[in-house]
């Protein structure tokens, strides 16, 4: 498998995720006003942003994990059962840490 290609895609993905996380962080900081009506709306917006931010953090962790597995030579091997992850799966999801079977069972890494 061409791990060089995977590394390029993962690094690009990491950049995008970090940029989005940066925007969300800026939104969270910039939202607050003293007006109480607006504050309620902003609190809801904050919650949505925090949810997005949590998802982003998770994805960032997955991509970073994949990059470190590339470095250590464990990339493309399921972290749960040790089987090879299919190239098609890695193509669709370069940050995949588990083979399809383990991911479907929902086994935690
Ligand atoms: Zn597996």
């Amino acid at each position: 498998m061409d791990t060089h290609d995977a590394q390029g895609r993962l690094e690009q993905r990491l950049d995008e995720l970090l940029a989005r996380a940066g925007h969300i962080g800026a939104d969270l900081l910039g939202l607050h006003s003293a007006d109480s009506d607006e504050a309620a709306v902003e609190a809801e917006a904050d919650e949505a942003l925090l949810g997005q931010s949590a998802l982003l953090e998770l994805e960032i962790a997955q991509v970073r994990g994949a990059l470190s597995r590339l470095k250590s030579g464990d990339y493309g091997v399921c972290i749960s059962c040790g089987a090879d992850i299919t190239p098609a799966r890695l193509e669709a999801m370069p940050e995949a840490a588990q083979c399809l079977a383990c991911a479907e069972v929902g086994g935690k890494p």
Side-chain angles (χ1 to χ4, degrees), residues 78 81 99 102:
C78 175
C81 73
C99 68
C102 289

Side-chain angles (χ1 to χ4, degrees), residues 78-83 85 98-103:
C78 175
I79 59 171
S80 295
C81 73
I85 302 172
Q98 291 173 300
C99 68
L100 191 59
C102 289

Side-chain angles (χ1 to χ4, degrees), residues 17-109:
L17 290 168
L18 289 172
R20 275 166 59 196
H23 285 306
I24 288 177
D27 280 354
L28 279 169
L29 288 174
L31 269 175
H32 302 280
S33 72
D35 187 305
S36 63
D37 284 348
E38 278 182 34
V41 174
E42 285 166 3
E44 274 178 36
D46 270 10
E47 227 159 274
L49 284 172
L50 283 172
Q52 285 177 36
S53 152
L55 278 178
L56 274 175
E57 291 294 329
L58 196 70
E59 279 196 67
I60 288 168
Q62 284 172 344
V63 172
R64 284 195 165 134
L67 282 167
S68 83
R69 289 195 302 281
L70 268 174
K71 230 179 242 174
S72 63
D74 296 328
Y75 184 74
V77 177
C78 175
I79 59 171
S80 295
C81 73
D84 285 345
I85 302 172
T86 61
R89 177 162 166 77
L90 289 172
E91 181 69 31
M93 194 182 163
E95 72 274 28
Q98 291 173 300
C99 68
L100 191 59
C102 289
E104 277 182 346
V105 181
K108 290 270 180 286

